[in-house]
Amino acid sequence: MDPRGDWGLGGSLKGSQRGLGFPEGAASCAPQTWQPPCVPADLGQGLGRLVQTLKDQLPVVGGGWGGWTPPGLPSGPRPPEEADVVVVGGGVVGWSVAFWLKALEGQRHGMRVLVVERDPTYSRASTVLSVGGIRQQFSLPENIQMSRFSASFLRNINEHLGVPNKSPIDIQFQPSGYLFLAPLEHAAGLEATVQLQREEGVQVALLSPTQLKEKFPWIDTEDVAVASYGLQDEGWFDPWTLLQAFRHKAMSLGVLSCSGEVRGFVTSAKDAMVPQGSSAVTARIRYVHVHMPDSREYQPVACAIVVNAAGAWAGELLGAAGLPEGLCQPPLPIQPRKRYVFSWHCPDGPGFSCPLLVDTTGAYFRRDGIAGNYLGGMSPTEEEEPDAGDLLVDHNFFQEQVWPRLSRRVPAFSSLCLRSAWSGYYDYNTFDQNGVLGPHPKLNNLFLAAGFSGHGLQHAPATGRAVAELVLRGRYESLDLRRLGWQRLEEGKRLDEKGVV
């Protein structure tokens, strides 16, 4: 298949009754059964049953089968038989990739892009289950640069994602800096990180314990040696609104979407090749198999490019049927990790001045609105990782692990009321907790965009553009993200990010 291209009948009966043979004043009468003149009643009933049978059997305008859905018939649009680019995963990263592909291509009816999402309700999606934060305070230059790109994008979101004749996009951004606290043994590391951030253009302040207490008098500064506080382009926003904005804009540009799960691929033996000057065998994906929801059916989709934006299941996708096992080594080290988010009420808490605070112990919290509500949690240790097979919440984790840390740092939290909780997935990169971007080294038409370990939402605008640049132009243009590629996995060179929350 050749590729195709490069921060918001209704109406009254009165006018027609006379023509139907109703007597004058019939509109005020009780409903009555009307039979055509000279037609026996049983024949009329038979005709009525025949009409209903036909309605049940034939498709009607707008879809459906007369109000009845045959068992096994997939709901929603079927995948096309071919697409130039198949994006596996319809979360915010996948839709960002799709948007940027069409935006950079610049042709309304050029390249055919298909986004495949297995959970169209997004009830288990990492995007909408996150706390929606964005920060500039990372320790890796690439992460800082991606945050700066995304902050600019979100600030001007309507210029990028606004759709003509639609309401302006309001992601409900709440500007509030992140506040990282460090004990004495980590003070030098935090100070060095702040220096790097400043070199990258980030507005961030270093606070001594005395300055910290003056700024935030509700904090107990015991064991805090230094703190860093973001002054610009940090805060939180509504993840669902951002996801839908990417989706609606991409579809307005011609991107296709379908509900289904990619469970298999087809590669051809004749596509396997040895690049000149290399002993490594590579191959191309020719088809993806999209399995219909609640059905045994699948649709083979011929494609030129595949983008793995499957989030927490990106590693599992590379173990799908049809991919030569030898070409998927080493395995993609991305796993689903379950993280809890707790919501509580504390009328005497920090109040409106509350930032997103990351404690020396790893616990974090932020304000949620202005009525004394807060969100927070913490990542468990490797030994305490919960079962990721479901999204059930262990409330004992809050009582035993999170609350003691919170109440020690914020004495007002000693008296709080836990209101609700939920859990979501990190697409956790067990190698170095950083995203894996770029082409696969052995499947030469497969591109990766996953493994962000909790910061995928805030980096989605930058990630989508970076991948689109690689697909369309063969190189990074906006940001140099080559170090986030697959090569570091093969060479065992970790890119450690000290700011994982």
Side-chain angles (χ1 to χ4, degrees), residues 416-496:
L416 57 77
C417 177
L418 185 63
R419 302 179 63 189
S420 63
W422 68 88
S423 59
Y425 290 115
Y426 273 14
D427 54 332
Y428 193 81
N429 180 352
T430 60
F431 181 68
D432 60 9
Q433 292 82 60
N434 277 302
V436 182
L437 294 178
H440 192 281
K442 299 175 183 177
L443 297 167
N444 51 26
N445 62 336
L446 175 67
F447 291 79
L448 303 165
F452 299 96
S453 307
H455 48 269
L457 171 68
Q458 60 186 300
H459 287 167
T463 298
R465 175 154 188 140
V467 173
E469 289 173 350
L470 287 177
V471 170
L472 294 173
R473 300 165 185 171
R475 64 186 183 276
Y476 289 120
E477 294 184 341
S478 302
L479 300 173
D480 185 357
L481 303 179
R482 287 175 295 177
R483 290 207 306 163
L484 294 177
W486 187 282
Q487 185 175 0
R488 77 183 196 271
L489 306 181
E490 294 185 305
E491 297 177 351
K493 296 181 178 179
R494 295 166 53 96
L495 293 176
D496 290 318

Side-chain angles (χ1 to χ4, degrees), residues 77-80 83 85-91 94-95 98 113-120 122 255-263 288-293 299 301 306-310 317:
R78 294 181 63 90
V85 181
V86 175
V87 180
V88 184
W95 277 110
V113 179
L114 171 67
V115 176
V116 183
E117 170 57 43
R118 68 178 184 178
D119 178 19
Y122 291 99
V255 173
L256 306 174
S257 68
C258 70
S259 299
E261 181 177 4
V262 175
R263 299 182 190 169
V288 298
H289 286 176
V290 181
H291 286 249
M292 305 294 98
Q299 172 68 53
V301 180
V306 178
V307 178
N308 182 352
L317 182 66

Side-chain angles (χ1 to χ4, degrees), residues 8-204:
L9 178 69
S12 171
L13 290 173
K14 293 180 180 179
S16 59
Q17 286 168 342
R18 292 185 181 87
L20 292 177
F22 285 95
E24 286 288 338
S28 62
C29 298
Q32 50 186 287
T33 303
W34 174 78
Q35 295 290 343
C38 304
V39 178
D42 57 346
L43 179 57
Q45 294 170 356
L47 289 172
R49 288 194 296 269
L50 177 60
V51 169
Q52 186 60 48
T53 299
L54 290 174
K55 286 183 177 179
D56 288 342
Q57 295 298 323
L58 298 176
V60 296
V61 176
W65 290 70
W68 175 73
T69 301
L73 185 69
S75 59
R78 294 181 63 90
E81 293 184 356
E82 61 179 35
D84 297 308
V85 181
V86 175
V87 180
V88 184
V92 68
V93 171
W95 277 110
S96 176
V97 171
F99 158 72
W100 281 112
L101 284 169
K102 297 301 292 183
L104 296 181
E105 178 200 30
Q107 299 182 42
R108 178 66 175 82
H109 298 290
M111 179 172 46
R112 176 178 284 192
V113 179
L114 171 67
V115 176
V116 183
E117 170 57 43
R118 68 178 184 178
D119 178 19
T121 66
Y122 291 99
S123 60
R124 296 166 60 88
S126 301
T127 299
V128 298
L129 295 172
S130 73
V131 298
I134 180 171
R135 57 187 165 106
Q136 310 298 299
Q137 296 181 73
F138 286 92
S139 66
L140 200 68
E142 287 84 352
N143 286 335
I144 299 171
Q145 294 161 14
M146 293 174 79
S147 287
R148 287 178 55 76
F149 180 97
S150 294
S152 175
F153 181 93
L154 295 179
R155 193 184 304 113
N156 301 287
I157 189 169
N158 280 285
E159 296 180 13
H160 297 290
L161 302 184
V163 177
N165 301 319
K166 298 294 183 181
S167 300
I169 302 163
D170 180 7
I171 62 172
Q172 302 173 49
F173 178 69
Q174 300 292 311
S176 181
Y178 274 59
L179 180 65
F180 285 83
L181 310 183
L184 182 60
E185 60 268 27
H186 296 150
L190 181 61
E191 291 173 357
T193 297
V194 167
Q195 180 60 35
L196 171 63
Q197 293 162 359
R198 288 172 173 171
E199 292 172 359
E200 293 288 343
V202 177
Q203 298 293 313
V204 58

Side-chain angles (χ1 to χ4, degrees), residues 155-398:
R155 193 184 304 113
N156 301 287
I157 189 169
N158 280 285
E159 296 180 13
H160 297 290
L161 302 184
V163 177
N165 301 319
K166 298 294 183 181
S167 300
I169 302 163
D170 180 7
I171 62 172
Q172 302 173 49
F173 178 69
Q174 300 292 311
S176 181
Y178 274 59
L179 180 65
F180 285 83
L181 310 183
L184 182 60
E185 60 268 27
H186 296 150
L190 181 61
E191 291 173 357
T193 297
V194 167
Q195 180 60 35
L196 171 63
Q197 293 162 359
R198 288 172 173 171
E199 292 172 359
E200 293 288 343
V202 177
Q203 298 293 313
V204 58
L206 274 173
L207 304 178
S208 68
T210 300
Q211 294 169 322
L212 179 63
K213 190 70 173 180
E214 290 175 353
K215 175 67 175 174
F216 304 107
W218 41 267
I219 292 180
D220 184 337
T221 59
E222 183 183 359
D223 83 342
V224 176
V226 67
S228 63
Y229 181 53
L231 303 177
Q232 186 178 350
D233 291 335
E234 296 192 335
W236 52 88
F237 58 90
D238 179 24
W240 174 253
T241 299
L242 180 60
L243 169 62
Q244 291 302 308
F246 268 120
R247 177 174 173 269
H248 291 154
K249 182 63 175 184
M251 295 181 71
S252 76
L253 297 175
V255 173
L256 306 174
S257 68
C258 70
S259 299
E261 181 177 4
V262 175
R263 299 182 190 169
F265 299 88
V266 174
T267 59
S268 174
K270 68 180 181 181
D271 289 331
M273 59 190 76
V274 180
Q276 187 174 4
S278 171
S279 60
V281 178
T282 68
R284 295 182 64 85
I285 297 172
R286 300 186 60 201
Y287 293 87
V288 298
H289 286 176
V290 181
H291 286 249
M292 305 294 98
D294 302 318
S295 172
R296 297 175 64 89
E297 292 186 73
Y298 69 86
Q299 172 68 53
V301 180
C303 57
I305 298 290
V306 178
V307 178
N308 182 352
W313 292 270
E316 179 182 300
L317 182 66
L318 289 191
L323 292 180
E325 185 175 349
L327 297 185
C328 294
Q329 299 299 322
L332 186 60
I334 297 175
Q335 302 174 357
R337 293 286 179 93
K338 185 164 67 173
R339 295 292 180 263
Y340 307 126
V341 180
F342 300 95
S343 171
W344 65 89
H345 180 70
C346 181
D348 299 323
F352 190 74
S353 68
C354 180
L356 199 155
L357 184 148
V358 182
D359 190 39
T360 58
T361 61
Y364 72 89
F365 69 90
R366 70 163 172 84
R367 173 177 55 83
D368 185 25
I370 59 175
N373 298 317
Y374 302 87
L375 297 177
M378 66 176 291
S379 295
T381 64
E382 286 285 339
E383 296 75 23
E384 297 173 325
E385 280 289 348
D387 180 10
D390 57 56
L391 287 178
L392 298 177
V393 176
D394 180 5
H395 289 83
N396 288 331
F397 186 75
F398 181 81

